[in-house]
Coordinates of all heavy atoms in Angstrom, one line a residue:
M333 N -211.2 -106.0 107.8 CA -210.6 -105.4 109.0 C -211.4 -105.7 110.2 O -210.8 -105.9 111.3 CB -210.5 -103.9 108.7 CG -209.6 -103.2 109.7 SD -209.3 -101.4 109.3 CE -207.9 -101.6 108.2
N334 N -212.7 -105.7 110.1 CA -213.6 -106.0 111.2 C -213.3 -107.4 111.7 O -213.1 -107.6 112.9 CB -215.0 -105.9 110.8 CG -216.0 -106.2 111.9 OD1 -216.0 -105.6 112.9 ND2 -216.8 -107.3 111.7
D335 N -213.2 -108.4 110.8 CA -213.0 -109.7 111.2 C -211.6 -109.9 111.9 O -211.5 -110.6 112.8 CB -213.0 -110.7 109.9 CG -214.4 -110.8 109.4 OD1 -215.4 -110.4 110.1 OD2 -214.6 -111.2 108.2
A336 N -210.6 -109.2 111.4 CA -209.3 -109.2 112.0 C -209.3 -108.7 113.4 O -208.7 -109.3 114.3 CB -208.3 -108.4 111.1
A337 N -210.0 -107.6 113.6 CA -210.1 -107.1 115.0 C -210.9 -108.0 115.9 O -210.6 -108.2 117.1 CB -210.7 -105.7 115.0
M338 N -212.0 -108.6 115.4 CA -212.8 -109.4 116.2 C -212.2 -110.7 116.7 O -212.7 -111.4 117.6 CB -214.2 -109.6 115.5 CG -215.0 -108.4 115.4 SD -215.4 -107.6 117.0 CE -216.4 -108.8 117.8
T339 N -211.1 -111.1 116.1 CA -210.4 -112.3 116.5 C -209.6 -112.1 117.7 O -209.1 -113.1 118.3 CB -209.5 -112.9 115.4 OG1 -208.4 -111.9 115.1 CG2 -210.2 -113.2 114.1
V340 N -209.4 -110.9 118.1 CA -208.6 -110.6 119.3 C -209.4 -110.6 120.6 O -210.4 -109.9 120.7 CB -207.9 -109.2 119.1 CG1 -207.2 -108.7 120.3 CG2 -207.1 -109.1 117.9
P341 N -209.0 -111.4 121.6 CA -209.7 -111.4 122.8 C -209.7 -110.0 123.5 O -208.7 -109.3 123.4 CB -208.8 -112.4 123.7 CG -208.1 -113.2 122.7 CD -207.8 -112.3 121.5
G342 N -210.8 -109.7 124.0 CA -210.9 -108.4 124.7 C -211.6 -107.3 123.8 O -212.0 -106.3 124.3
I343 N -211.9 -107.7 122.5 CA -212.6 -106.8 121.6 C -214.1 -107.2 121.6 O -214.4 -108.4 121.2 CB -212.0 -106.8 120.2 CG1 -210.6 -106.5 120.2 CG2 -212.9 -105.9 119.3 CD1 -210.2 -105.0 120.5
Q344 N -215.0 -106.3 122.0 CA -216.4 -106.6 122.0 C -217.1 -106.3 120.7 O -218.0 -107.0 120.3 CB -217.0 -105.8 123.2 CG -218.5 -106.0 123.4 CD -218.9 -105.2 124.6 OE1 -218.5 -105.5 125.7 NE2 -219.8 -104.3 124.4
S345 N -216.7 -105.2 120.1 CA -217.3 -104.8 118.8 C -216.4 -103.8 118.1 O -215.5 -103.3 118.7 CB -218.7 -104.2 119.1 OG -218.6 -103.0 119.8
T346 N -216.7 -103.6 116.8 CA -216.0 -102.6 116.0 C -217.0 -101.8 115.2 O -218.1 -102.2 114.9 CB -215.0 -103.3 115.1 OG1 -215.8 -104.0 114.1 CG2 -214.1 -104.2 115.8
L347 N -216.5 -100.6 114.9 CA -217.2 -99.7 114.0 C -216.1 -99.2 113.1 O -215.3 -98.3 113.5 CB -217.9 -98.5 114.7 CG -218.7 -97.5 113.8 CD1 -219.7 -98.2 113.0 CD2 -219.3 -96.5 114.7
I348 N -216.1 -99.7 111.9 CA -215.0 -99.3 110.9 C -215.6 -98.7 109.7 O -216.6 -99.2 109.1 CB -214.2 -100.6 110.5 CG1 -213.5 -101.2 111.8 CG2 -213.2 -100.2 109.4 CD1 -212.8 -102.5 111.6
N349 N -215.1 -97.5 109.4 CA -215.6 -96.7 108.3 C -214.4 -96.6 107.3 O -213.3 -96.1 107.7 CB -216.0 -95.3 108.7 CG -216.6 -94.6 107.6 OD1 -217.2 -95.1 106.6 ND2 -216.4 -93.3 107.6
V350 N -214.6 -97.1 106.1 CA -213.6 -97.0 105.0 C -214.2 -96.1 103.9 O -215.3 -96.5 103.4 CB -213.2 -98.4 104.5 CG1 -212.2 -98.2 103.4 CG2 -212.7 -99.2 105.6
N351 N -213.6 -95.0 103.6 CA -214.0 -94.2 102.5 C -212.9 -94.1 101.5 O -211.8 -93.6 101.7 CB -214.3 -92.8 103.0 CG -214.9 -91.8 102.0 OD1 -215.1 -92.2 100.9 ND2 -215.1 -90.6 102.4
M352 N -213.2 -94.7 100.3 CA -212.2 -94.8 99.3 C -212.8 -94.0 98.1 O -213.8 -94.3 97.6 CB -211.9 -96.2 98.8 CG -211.4 -97.1 100.0 SD -211.3 -98.8 99.5 CE -209.5 -98.9 99.1
N353 N -212.0 -92.9 97.7 CA -212.5 -92.1 96.6 C -211.3 -91.5 95.9 O -210.1 -91.9 96.2 CB -213.5 -91.0 97.0 CG -212.9 -90.1 98.1 OD1 -211.8 -89.7 98.0 ND2 -213.7 -89.8 99.1
T354 N -211.5 -90.6 94.9 CA -210.4 -90.1 94.2 C -209.5 -89.2 95.0 O -208.4 -88.9 94.6 CB -210.9 -89.2 93.0 OG1 -211.8 -88.2 93.5 CG2 -211.7 -90.1 92.0
S355 N -209.9 -88.8 96.2 CA -209.1 -88.0 97.1 C -208.2 -88.9 97.9 O -207.2 -88.4 98.6 CB -210.0 -87.2 98.0 OG -210.7 -86.2 97.3
G356 N -208.5 -90.2 98.0 CA -207.6 -91.1 98.8 C -208.4 -92.1 99.5 O -209.6 -92.3 99.3
N357 N -207.7 -92.8 100.4 CA -208.3 -93.8 101.3 C -208.3 -93.3 102.7 O -207.3 -92.9 103.3 CB -207.5 -95.1 101.2 CG -207.3 -95.6 99.8 OD1 -208.3 -95.7 99.1 ND2 -206.1 -95.8 99.4
F358 N -209.5 -93.3 103.3 CA -209.7 -92.8 104.7 C -210.3 -93.9 105.6 O -211.4 -94.3 105.3 CB -210.5 -91.5 104.7 CG -210.0 -90.5 103.7 CD1 -210.5 -90.4 102.4 CD2 -209.1 -89.6 104.1 CE1 -210.1 -89.5 101.5 CE2 -208.6 -88.6 103.2 CZ -209.1 -88.6 101.9
I359 N -209.6 -94.3 106.6 CA -210.0 -95.4 107.4 C -210.1 -95.0 108.8 O -209.1 -94.5 109.4 CB -209.1 -96.7 107.3 CG1 -209.0 -97.1 105.8 CG2 -209.6 -97.8 108.2 CD1 -207.9 -98.1 105.6
T360 N -211.2 -95.1 109.5 CA -211.4 -94.9 110.9 C -211.9 -96.1 111.6 O -212.8 -96.8 111.0 CB -212.3 -93.7 111.2 OG1 -213.6 -93.9 110.7 CG2 -211.7 -92.4 110.7
A361 N -211.4 -96.5 112.7 CA -211.8 -97.7 113.4 C -212.0 -97.4 114.8 O -211.1 -97.0 115.5 CB -210.8 -98.8 113.2
K362 N -213.2 -97.6 115.3 CA -213.5 -97.5 116.7 C -213.7 -98.9 117.2 O -214.6 -99.6 116.8 CB -214.8 -96.6 117.0 CG -215.1 -96.6 118.4 CD -216.5 -95.9 118.7 CE -216.8 -95.9 120.2 NZ -218.1 -95.4 120.5
L363 N -212.9 -99.3 118.2 CA -213.0 -100.6 118.8 C -213.6 -100.4 120.2 O -213.4 -99.4 120.8 CB -211.7 -101.2 118.9 CG -210.8 -101.3 117.7 CD1 -209.5 -102.0 118.0 CD2 -211.5 -102.1 116.6
V364 N -214.4 -101.3 120.6 CA -215.0 -101.3 121.9 C -214.5 -102.6 122.6 O -214.7 -103.7 122.1 CB -216.5 -101.3 121.9 CG1 -217.1 -101.4 123.3 CG2 -217.0 -100.0 121.2
G365 N -213.9 -102.4 123.7 CA -213.4 -103.5 124.5 C -214.4 -104.0 125.5 O -215.4 -103.4 125.7
N366 N -214.1 -105.1 126.2 CA -215.0 -105.6 127.1 C -214.5 -105.4 128.6 O -214.9 -106.1 129.5 CB -215.3 -107.1 126.9 CG -214.0 -107.9 126.9 OD1 -213.0 -107.5 127.3 ND2 -214.1 -109.2 126.4
S367 N -213.7 -104.3 128.7 CA -213.2 -104.0 130.0 C -213.3 -102.5 130.3 O -213.3 -101.7 129.4 CB -211.7 -104.4 130.1 OG -211.1 -104.0 131.3
M368 N -213.2 -102.1 131.6 CA -213.1 -100.7 132.0 C -211.7 -100.4 132.3 O -211.4 -99.2 132.6 CB -214.0 -100.5 133.2 CG -215.5 -100.8 132.9 SD -216.3 -99.7 131.8 CE -216.4 -98.2 132.8
D369 N -210.8 -101.4 132.3 CA -209.4 -101.2 132.7 C -208.6 -100.7 131.5 O -208.5 -101.3 130.5 CB -208.9 -102.5 133.3 CG -207.4 -102.4 133.7 OD1 -207.2 -101.8 134.8 OD2 -206.5 -102.8 133.0
Q370 N -207.9 -99.6 131.7 CA -207.1 -99.0 130.7 C -206.0 -99.9 130.2 O -205.8 -100.0 129.0 CB -206.6 -97.6 131.1 CG -205.9 -96.9 129.9 CD -205.6 -95.5 130.3 OE1 -205.5 -95.1 131.4 NE2 -205.4 -94.6 129.3
A371 N -205.4 -100.6 131.1 CA -204.3 -101.5 130.7 C -204.8 -102.7 129.8 O -204.2 -103.1 128.9 CB -203.5 -102.0 131.9
E372 N -206.0 -103.2 130.2 CA -206.6 -104.3 129.4 C -207.0 -103.8 128.0 O -206.8 -104.5 127.0 CB -207.7 -104.9 130.2 CG -207.3 -105.7 131.4 CD -208.5 -106.3 132.1 OE1 -209.6 -106.5 131.5 OE2 -208.3 -106.6 133.3
L373 N -207.5 -102.6 128.0 CA -207.9 -102.0 126.7 C -206.7 -101.8 125.8 O -206.7 -102.1 124.6 CB -208.7 -100.7 126.9 CG -210.1 -100.8 127.5 CD1 -210.6 -99.4 127.8 CD2 -211.0 -101.6 126.6
A374 N -205.6 -101.3 126.4 CA -204.4 -101.1 125.7 C -203.8 -102.4 125.1 O -203.4 -102.4 124.0 CB -203.3 -100.4 126.6
D375 N -203.9 -103.4 125.9 CA -203.4 -104.7 125.4 C -204.2 -105.2 124.3 O -203.7 -105.7 123.3 CB -203.4 -105.7 126.6 CG -202.8 -107.0 126.2 OD1 -201.7 -107.1 125.7 OD2 -203.5 -108.1 126.3
A376 N -205.5 -105.1 124.3 CA -206.4 -105.5 123.2 C -206.1 -104.7 122.0 O -206.0 -105.3 120.9 CB -207.9 -105.4 123.6
L377 N -205.9 -103.4 122.1 CA -205.6 -102.6 120.9 C -204.2 -102.9 120.3 O -204.1 -103.1 119.1 CB -205.7 -101.1 121.2 CG -205.3 -100.1 120.1 CD1 -206.3 -100.3 118.9 CD2 -205.3 -98.7 120.6
R378 N -203.3 -103.1 121.2 CA -201.9 -103.5 120.8 C -201.9 -104.8 120.0 O -201.3 -104.9 119.0 CB -201.0 -103.6 122.0 CG -199.6 -104.0 121.6 CD -198.7 -104.3 122.8 NE -199.3 -105.4 123.7 CZ -199.3 -106.7 123.4 NH1 -198.9 -107.1 122.3 NH2 -199.9 -107.5 124.2
R379 N -202.8 -105.7 120.4 CA -202.9 -107.0 119.7 C -203.7 -106.9 118.4 O -203.6 -107.7 117.5 CB -203.4 -108.1 120.6 CG -202.4 -108.5 121.7 CD -202.8 -109.6 122.6 NE -203.8 -109.1 123.5 CZ -205.0 -109.6 123.7 NH1 -205.4 -110.6 123.0 NH2 -205.9 -109.1 124.6
A380 N -204.7 -106.0 118.4 CA -205.6 -105.8 117.2 C -204.9 -105.1 116.1 O -205.2 -105.3 114.9 CB -206.9 -105.1 117.6
L381 N -204.0 -104.2 116.4 CA -203.5 -103.3 115.3 C -202.7 -104.1 114.2 O -203.0 -103.9 113.0 CB -202.5 -102.2 115.9 CG -203.3 -101.0 116.4 CD1 -202.4 -100.1 117.2 CD2 -203.9 -100.3 115.3
P382 N -201.8 -105.0 114.5 CA -201.2 -105.7 113.4 C -202.1 -106.5 112.5 O -202.0 -106.2 111.2 CB -200.2 -106.7 114.2 CG -199.9 -106.0 115.4 CD -201.2 -105.4 115.8
P383 N -203.0 -107.3 112.9 CA -203.9 -107.9 111.9 C -204.8 -106.9 111.2 O -205.1 -107.2 110.0 CB -204.7 -108.9 112.7 CG -204.6 -108.5 114.2 CD -203.3 -107.8 114.3
M384 N -205.2 -105.9 111.8 CA -206.0 -104.9 111.1 C -205.2 -104.2 110.0 O -205.7 -104.0 108.9 CB -206.6 -103.8 112.1 CG -207.6 -104.4 113.1 SD -208.1 -103.2 114.3 CE -208.7 -101.8 113.3
L385 N -204.0 -103.8 110.4 CA -203.1 -103.1 109.4 C -202.7 -104.1 108.3 O -202.5 -103.6 107.1 CB -201.9 -102.5 110.1 CG -202.3 -101.3 111.0 CD1 -201.1 -101.0 111.9 CD2 -202.7 -100.1 110.2
E386 N -202.5 -105.3 108.6 CA -202.2 -106.3 107.5 C -203.3 -106.3 106.4 O -203.1 -106.6 105.3 CB -201.9 -107.7 108.1 CG -200.6 -107.7 108.8 CD -200.4 -109.0 109.6 OE1 -201.3 -109.9 109.6 OE2 -199.3 -109.1 110.2
E387 N -204.6 -106.1 106.9 CA -205.7 -106.0 105.9 C -205.6 -104.9 105.0 O -206.3 -104.8 104.0 CB -207.0 -106.0 106.7 CG -207.3 -107.2 107.5 CD -207.6 -108.4 106.6 OE1 -208.3 -108.2 105.5 OE2 -207.2 -109.5 106.9
T388 N -204.7 -103.9 105.2 CA -204.6 -102.7 104.3 C -203.4 -102.9 103.4 O -203.0 -101.9 102.7 CB -204.4 -101.4 105.2 OG1 -203.1 -101.4 105.8 CG2 -205.5 -101.3 106.2
S389 N -202.7 -104.0 103.4 CA -201.5 -104.2 102.6 C -201.7 -103.9 101.1 O -200.7 -103.5 100.5 CB -200.9 -105.6 102.8 OG -201.8 -106.6 102.3
H390 N -202.9 -104.0 100.6 CA -203.1 -103.8 99.2 C -203.3 -102.3 98.9 O -203.3 -101.9 97.7 CB -204.3 -104.5 98.7 CG -205.6 -104.1 99.4 ND1 -205.9 -104.4 100.7 CD2 -206.6 -103.4 98.9 CE1 -207.0 -103.9 101.0 NE2 -207.5 -103.2 100.0
L391 N -203.3 -101.4 99.9 CA -203.5 -100.0 99.7 C -202.2 -99.3 99.6 O -201.3 -99.6 100.4 CB -204.3 -99.4 100.8 CG -205.8 -100.0 101.0 CD1 -206.4 -99.3 102.2 CD2 -206.6 -99.7 99.7
D392 N -202.0 -98.5 98.6 CA -200.8 -97.7 98.5 C -200.6 -96.6 99.5 O -199.5 -96.2 99.8 CB -200.6 -97.1 97.1 CG -200.5 -98.2 96.0 OD1 -199.9 -99.2 96.3 OD2 -200.9 -97.9 94.9
G393 N -201.7 -96.1 100.0 CA -201.6 -95.0 101.0 C -203.0 -94.7 101.5 O -203.9 -95.3 101.2
G394 N -203.0 -93.6 102.3 CA -204.3 -93.2 102.9 C -204.1 -92.8 104.3 O -202.9 -92.6 104.8
T395 N -205.2 -92.6 105.0 CA -205.1 -92.2 106.4 C -205.8 -93.3 107.2 O -206.6 -94.0 106.7 CB -205.8 -90.8 106.7 OG1 -207.2 -91.0 106.4 CG2 -205.2 -89.7 105.8
F396 N -205.4 -93.3 108.5 CA -205.9 -94.4 109.4 C -205.9 -93.8 110.8 O -205.0 -93.1 111.2 CB -204.9 -95.6 109.4 CG -205.4 -96.7 110.3 CD1 -206.4 -97.5 109.9 CD2 -204.7 -96.9 111.5 CE1 -206.8 -98.6 110.7 CE2 -205.1 -98.0 112.3 CZ -206.2 -98.8 111.9
S397 N -207.0 -94.0 111.5 CA -207.1 -93.6 112.9 C -207.9 -94.7 113.6 O -208.8 -95.2 113.1 CB -207.8 -92.2 113.0 OG -209.1 -92.2 112.6
T398 N -207.5 -94.9 114.8 CA -208.2 -95.9 115.6 C -208.0 -95.6 117.1 O -207.0 -95.0 117.5 CB -207.7 -97.3 115.3 OG1 -208.5 -98.3 116.0 CG2 -206.2 -97.5 115.8
S399 N -209.0 -96.0 117.9 CA -209.0 -96.0 119.3 C -209.8 -97.1 119.8 O -210.7 -97.7 119.1 CB -209.6 -94.7 119.9 OG -208.8 -93.6 119.5
I400 N -209.6 -97.5 121.1 CA -210.4 -98.5 121.7 C -211.1 -97.8 122.9 O -210.4 -97.0 123.6 CB -209.7 -99.8 122.1 CG1 -210.6 -100.9 122.6 CG2 -208.6 -99.5 123.1 CD1 -210.0 -102.2 122.8
F401 N -212.3 -98.2 123.2 CA -213.1 -97.6 124.2 C -213.7 -98.6 125.2 O -213.9 -99.8 124.7 CB -214.3 -96.7 123.7 CG -213.8 -95.5 122.9 CD1 -213.5 -95.7 121.6 CD2 -213.7 -94.3 123.5 CE1 -213.0 -94.6 120.8 CE2 -213.3 -93.2 122.8 CZ -213.0 -93.3 121.4
S402 N -213.9 -98.3 126.4 CA -214.6 -99.2 127.3 C -216.1 -99.2 126.9 O -216.5 -98.4 126.1 CB -214.5 -98.6 128.7 OG -215.1 -97.3 128.8
P403 N -216.8 -100.2 127.3 CA -218.2 -100.3 126.9 C -219.0 -99.1 127.1 O -220.0 -98.8 126.3 CB -218.8 -101.5 127.7 CG -217.5 -102.3 128.0 CD -216.4 -101.3 128.2
D404 N -218.7 -98.3 128.1 CA -219.5 -97.0 128.4 C -218.8 -95.8 127.8 O -219.2 -94.7 128.1 CB -219.8 -96.9 129.8 CG -218.5 -96.6 130.7 OD1 -217.4 -96.6 130.1 OD2 -218.7 -96.4 131.9
D405 N -217.7 -96.0 127.0 CA -217.0 -94.9 126.4 C -216.2 -94.0 127.4 O -215.8 -92.9 127.1 CB -217.9 -94.0 125.5 CG -218.2 -94.6 124.2 OD1 -217.5 -95.6 123.8 OD2 -219.1 -94.1 123.5
S406 N -216.1 -94.4 128.7 CA -215.5 -93.5 129.7 C -214.0 -93.7 129.7 O -213.3 -92.8 130.2 CB -216.0 -93.8 131.1 OG -215.7 -95.1 131.5
V407 N -213.4 -94.8 129.2 CA -212.0 -95.0 129.2 C -211.6 -95.3 127.7 O -212.3 -96.0 127.0 CB -211.6 -96.2 130.0 CG1 -210.1 -96.5 130.0 CG2 -212.1 -96.0 131.5
S408 N -210.5 -94.7 127.3 CA -210.1 -94.9 125.9 C -208.6 -95.0 125.8 O -207.9 -94.5 126.7 CB -210.6 -93.9 124.9 OG -210.0 -92.6 125.2
V409 N -208.1 -95.7 124.8 CA -206.7 -95.8 124.5 C -206.5 -95.6 123.0 O -207.3 -96.2 122.2 CB -206.2 -97.2 124.9 CG1 -204.7 -97.4 124.5 CG2 -206.3 -97.4 126.4
G410 N -205.5 -94.8 122.6 CA -205.2 -94.6 121.2 C -203.8 -95.0 120.9 O -203.0 -95.3 121.7
A411 N -203.4 -94.9 119.6 CA -202.1 -95.2 119.2 C -201.0 -94.4 119.9 O -199.9 -94.8 120.1 CB -202.0 -95.0 117.7
S412 N -201.3 -93.1 120.2 CA -200.4 -92.3 120.9 C -200.0 -92.8 122.3 O -198.9 -92.5 122.8 CB -200.9 -90.8 121.0 OG -202.0 -90.8 121.8
D413 N -200.8 -93.6 122.8 CA -200.5 -94.2 124.1 C -199.4 -95.3 124.0 O -198.9 -95.7 125.1 CB -201.8 -94.9 124.8 CG -202.8 -93.8 125.2 OD1 -202.5 -92.9 125.9 OD2 -204.0 -93.9 124.7
F414 N -199.1 -95.7 122.8 CA -198.0 -96.6 122.6 C -196.7 -95.9 122.1 O -195.8 -96.5 121.6 CB -198.4 -97.7 121.6 CG -199.6 -98.5 122.0 CD1 -200.7 -98.3 121.3 CD2 -199.5 -99.4 123.0 CE1 -201.8 -99.1 121.7 CE2 -200.6 -100.1 123.4 CZ -201.8 -100.0 122.7
G415 N -196.7 -94.5 122.2 CA -195.6 -93.8 121.7 C -195.7 -93.4 120.2 O -194.7 -92.8 119.7
Y416 N -196.7 -93.7 119.6 CA -196.9 -93.4 118.1 C -197.1 -91.9 118.0 O -198.0 -91.4 118.6 CB -198.0 -94.2 117.5 CG -198.2 -93.9 116.1 CD1 -197.4 -94.3 115.1 CD2 -199.3 -93.1 115.7 CE1 -197.6 -94.0 113.8 CE2 -199.5 -92.7 114.4 CZ -198.7 -93.2 113.4 OH -198.8 -92.9 112.1
S417 N -196.3 -91.3 117.1 CA -196.5 -89.8 116.9 C -196.5 -89.6 115.4 O -196.1 -88.5 115.0 CB -195.5 -89.0 117.6 OG -194.2 -89.4 117.2
G418 N -196.8 -90.5 114.6 CA -196.7 -90.4 113.1 C -197.9 -89.8 112.4 O -197.9 -89.9 111.2
G419 N -198.8 -89.3 113.1 CA -200.0 -88.7 112.5 C -200.9 -89.7 111.9 O -201.0 -90.9 112.4
A420 N -201.7 -89.4 110.9 CA -202.7 -90.3 110.4 C -202.3 -91.1 109.2 O -203.1 -91.8 108.6 CB -204.0 -89.4 110.1
S421 N -201.1 -91.0 108.8 CA -200.6 -91.7 107.6 C -200.7 -93.2 107.8 O -200.1 -93.8 108.7 CB -199.2 -91.3 107.3 OG -198.6 -92.2 106.3
L422 N -201.4 -93.9 106.9 CA -201.5 -95.3 106.9 C -200.2 -96.0 106.8 O -199.9 -97.0 107.5 CB -202.5 -95.8 105.8 CG -202.7 -97.3 105.7 CD1 -203.3 -97.9 107.0 CD2 -203.6 -97.6 104.5
E423 N -199.3 -95.5 106.0 CA -198.0 -96.0 105.8 C -197.2 -95.9 107.1 O -196.5 -96.9 107.5 CB -197.2 -95.3 104.7 CG -197.9 -95.7 103.3 CD -197.7 -94.5 102.3 OE1 -197.6 -93.3 102.8 OE2 -197.8 -94.8 101.1
R424 N -197.3 -94.8 107.8 CA -196.5 -94.7 109.1 C -197.1 -95.6 110.1 O -196.3 -96.1 111.0 CB -196.6 -93.2 109.5 CG -195.7 -92.4 108.7 CD -195.5 -91.0 109.3 NE -194.6 -90.2 108.4 CZ -194.8 -88.9 108.2 NH1 -195.8 -88.3 108.8 NH2 -194.0 -88.3 107.4
F425 N -198.4 -95.8 110.2 CA -199.0 -96.7 111.1 C -198.4 -98.1 110.8 O -198.0 -98.8 111.8 CB -200.5 -96.8 111.0 CG -201.3 -96.0 112.0 CD1 -201.6 -94.7 111.7 CD2 -201.6 -96.5 113.2 CE1 -202.3 -93.9 112.6 CE2 -202.3 -95.7 114.1 CZ -202.7 -94.4 113.8
R426 N -198.4 -98.5 109.6 CA -197.8 -99.8 109.2 C -196.4 -100.0 109.6 O -196.0 -101.0 110.2 CB -198.0 -100.2 107.8 CG -199.5 -100.4 107.4 CD -199.7 -101.0 106.0 NE -199.4 -100.0 105.0 CZ -200.1 -99.8 103.9 NH1 -201.2 -100.5 103.7 NH2 -199.7 -98.9 103.0
E427 N -195.6 -98.9 109.3 CA -194.2 -99.0 109.7 C -194.0 -99.1 111.2 O -193.1 -99.9 111.7 CB -193.5 -97.7 109.3 CG -193.3 -97.6 107.8 CD -192.8 -96.2 107.4 OE1 -192.5 -95.3 108.2 OE2 -192.7 -95.9 106.1
Y428 N -194.8 -98.4 112.0 CA -194.6 -98.4 113.4 C -195.1 -99.7 114.1 O -194.5 -100.3 115.0 CB -195.4 -97.2 114.0 CG -195.0 -97.0 115.5 CD1 -193.9 -96.2 115.8 CD2 -195.8 -97.4 116.5 CE1 -193.6 -95.9 117.1 CE2 -195.5 -97.2 117.8 CZ -194.4 -96.4 118.1 OH -194.1 -96.2 119.5
F429 N -196.3 -100.2 113.6 CA -196.9 -101.3 114.3 C -196.7 -102.7 113.7 O -197.0 -103.7 114.3 CB -198.4 -101.1 114.5 CG -198.8 -100.0 115.5 CD1 -199.1 -98.7 115.0 CD2 -198.7 -100.2 116.8 CE1 -199.4 -97.7 116.0 CE2 -199.0 -99.2 117.7 CZ -199.3 -98.0 117.3
L430 N -196.2 -102.7 112.4 CA -195.9 -104.0 111.8 C -194.4 -104.3 111.7 O -194.1 -105.5 111.5 CB -196.5 -104.0 110.4 CG -198.0 -104.0 110.3 CD1 -198.5 -104.0 108.8 CD2 -198.6 -105.2 111.0
D431 N -193.6 -103.3 111.7 CA -192.1 -103.6 111.6 C -191.4 -103.7 112.9 O -191.8 -103.3 113.9 CB -191.5 -102.5 110.8 CG -191.9 -102.5 109.3 OD1 -192.5 -103.5 108.9 OD2 -191.8 -101.4 108.7

């Protein structure tokens, strides 16, 4: 997932935490962009989500959360900024951003 995100122009770094246990799969991804501009950060996140979510195709379910931040953390964009209101369900993220 890290490699998928890092192929997208505008992504400076990632911090991805994957916790897989008997309770389920829990994925959080913090992306850091190389801009302070909210529109540029949104564009980078919009382009990063499909390849990142494709990396989860082998998982039957779980939770997923992600946001992108400016280098100083003062500006951020999340999935809700694209109209996504499906909660943390990995399946709903895939339905919304891959279909």
Side-chain angles (χ1 to χ4, degrees):
M333 192 175 273
N334 178 63
D335 292 343
M338 291 301 295
T339 64
V340 174
I343 304 290
Q344 178 176 299
S345 66
T346 65
L347 178 58
I348 298 174
N349 182 35
V350 178
N351 185 2
M352 301 172 98
N353 59 44
T354 56
S355 297
N357 304 309
F358 307 93
I359 303 168
T360 57
K362 177 186 178 183
L363 307 179
V364 177
N366 56 14
S367 175
M368 300 293 287
D369 182 76
Q370 189 170 20
E372 289 181 22
L373 292 173
D375 185 55
L377 179 59
R378 180 189 54 74
R379 288 182 288 123
L381 278 168
M384 290 173 62
L385 290 168
E386 286 171 0
E387 291 293 319
T388 70
S389 64
H390 64 287
L391 300 176
D392 291 333
T395 64
F396 181 76
S397 65
T398 188
S399 294
I400 187 168
F401 295 83
S402 60
D404 67 355
D405 284 344
S406 67
V407 181
S408 67
V409 176
S412 63
D413 292 305
F414 301 111
Y416 176 75
S417 61
S421 167
L422 178 58
E423 292 148 336
R424 288 192 181 142
F425 262 93
R426 288 191 293 226
E427 288 171 3
Y428 192 86
F429 290 102
L430 290 178
D431 293 340

